[in-house]
Amino acid sequence: MIAVKNKIFTEIEINASTEQVWSVLTDWNKLKEWSSSFVGISTDNLAKGMHSISYYINPITGKIMNVEHEIVDYEEGSKFGWSGKIIGKVKDHHIFSLEKTNRGTTIFKQEDGFHSKNSLSTIMNFLMRNFMTSSYNKFNKELKERVEFLYSKKSI
């Protein structure tokens, strides 16, 4: 479990159903069309316990980098997440989730954090907190724009 002080949390409300948001979020082949950061995953079928690779655009070099991880959480249509080594024994633990509102919209959430048995994860979280929060908020906004472009409110 990640200490609360080591967590990063972002969310955004999207004017679409959870099914519509899920379909855009998990269309791995089209991520690179609208996302400026997370651009793919090495599998089409996520399942808890499976190993995969996520592809990201490095904000410094602009080149694609990859991160190997294990799917640690998966609920079809509502949640997926992974954990994998980032540096040394420090692991990243990232969860994407969708929550239906009573207004027919969806709250999209990202929760992330580094964890390890030493203080390196606390240092990494401190150094990365602003960058990661900003990056996740940008991804959230890009997802919202893409979903709302594809699905108007009247089609919910």
Side-chain angles (χ1 to χ4, degrees), residues 32 38-39 45 79 121 136:
K32 60 184 166 267
F38 175 37
V39 293
N45 301 309
K79 182 191 292 189
S121 63
Y136 294 163

Side-chain angles (χ1 to χ4, degrees), residues 6-148:
N6 288 349
K7 284 187 182 180
I8 296 165
F9 181 81
T10 64
E11 69 177 32
I12 195 167
E13 186 169 2
I14 301 173
N15 293 313
S17 69
T18 55
E19 294 82 9
Q20 292 166 333
V21 176
W22 184 261
S23 72
V24 172
L25 178 63
T26 59
D27 188 346
W28 312 122
N29 295 321
K30 292 187 179 177
L31 272 175
K32 60 184 166 267
E33 292 177 11
W34 58 267
S35 174
S36 63
S37 56
F38 175 37
V39 293
I41 196 164
S42 65
T43 184
D44 288 333
N45 301 309
L46 293 181
K48 193 171 181 178
M50 81 180 293
H51 291 263
S52 63
I53 300 171
S54 294
Y55 302 98
Y56 298 89
I57 296 175
N58 183 314
I60 297 168
T61 66
K63 295 182 180 182
I64 293 183
M65 59 184 199
N66 58 53
V67 178
E68 293 183 43
H69 49 70
E70 177 184 356
I71 304 300
V72 294
D73 203 343
Y74 185 80
E75 295 175 27
E76 178 67 31
S78 66
K79 182 191 292 189
F80 68 92
W82 55 67
S83 186
K85 288 184 182 177
I86 300 296
I87 296 173
K89 294 185 178 190
V90 177
K91 283 188 159 187
D92 172 51
H93 188 81
H94 194 129
I95 303 292
F96 298 87
S97 63
L98 307 177
E99 181 182 306
K100 185 182 298 189
T101 72
N102 60 4
R103 296 177 303 285
T105 62
T106 300
I107 303 295
F108 171 69
K109 300 177 183 182
Q110 288 193 73
E111 182 181 313
D112 199 359
F114 296 116
H115 60 108
S116 69
K117 294 185 180 185
N118 58 40
S119 61
L120 186 55
S121 63
T122 302
I123 294 165
M124 285 185 66
N125 275 296
F126 176 77
L127 295 174
M128 296 295 290
R129 182 169 307 278
N130 287 336
F131 170 75
M132 290 172 66
T133 301
S134 174
S135 176
Y136 294 163
N137 281 326
K138 183 175 182 182
F139 178 85
N140 296 357
K141 184 178 178 187
E142 291 169 339
L143 175 62
K144 175 182 174 69
E145 289 172 358
R146 177 66 170 203
V147 171
E148 291 177 358

